[in-house]
Amino acid sequence: MQDLTEITYTLPSIAQLVAARSYLFWSQQALADKAGVGIATIKRLEKANELGALADTLKLATLKRILEAYEREGITFARQGESEVVIFGPSAQIQAKSGRLT
């Protein structure tokens, strides 16, 4: 039986990237601006829907810029067992709360 308390930090899937963007209430344009990439890059990334497509969709340097934008907001991507996990640190939770409608 696999220990589900073990978390493996890994490159995120496209679904994890979209989930994190949604959690922060960022538009595609906001993510592009924060990562210093074009909006077309974010649209192309989110259009790719296979796990393996991530590496084929972006250059490593571009993916790094996107991941750094999330890291600055306190978001980490991981796997726990067979599940994909998005870890929202305190700064991400504050950012998300400030973006919610009241």
Side-chain angles (χ1 to χ4, degrees):
M1 182 173 201
Q2 189 170 11
D3 180 8
L4 293 181
T5 60
E6 181 180 318
I7 295 176
T8 305
Y9 296 92
T10 173
L11 283 178
S13 68
I14 295 167
Q16 285 174 297
L17 293 171
V18 173
R21 184 176 66 74
S22 296
Y23 181 82
L24 293 169
F25 291 89
W26 286 354
S27 64
Q28 289 178 326
Q29 185 64 59
L31 174 56
D33 293 345
K34 290 175 184 295
V37 302
I39 183 70
T41 298
I42 302 303
K43 288 181 179 194
R44 186 174 63 249
L45 166 68
E46 292 187 3
K47 205 173 206 181
N49 57 8
E50 296 179 17
L51 283 176
L54 185 59
D56 298 333
T57 303
L58 299 175
K59 293 179 182 176
L60 185 56
T62 303
L63 177 59
K64 183 178 179 197
R65 292 170 84 170
I66 293 168
L67 293 177
E68 287 171 347
Y70 283 122
E71 287 173 5
R72 285 191 296 272
E73 298 301 326
I75 293 179
T76 306
F77 301 97
R79 292 193 181 277
Q80 186 174 28
E82 296 297 317
S83 300
E84 295 176 341
V85 179
V86 180
I87 301 168
F88 303 103
S91 61
Q93 293 172 20
I94 291 168
Q95 169 72 20
K97 286 179 184 176
S98 70
R100 291 193 178 133
L101 299 174
T102 55

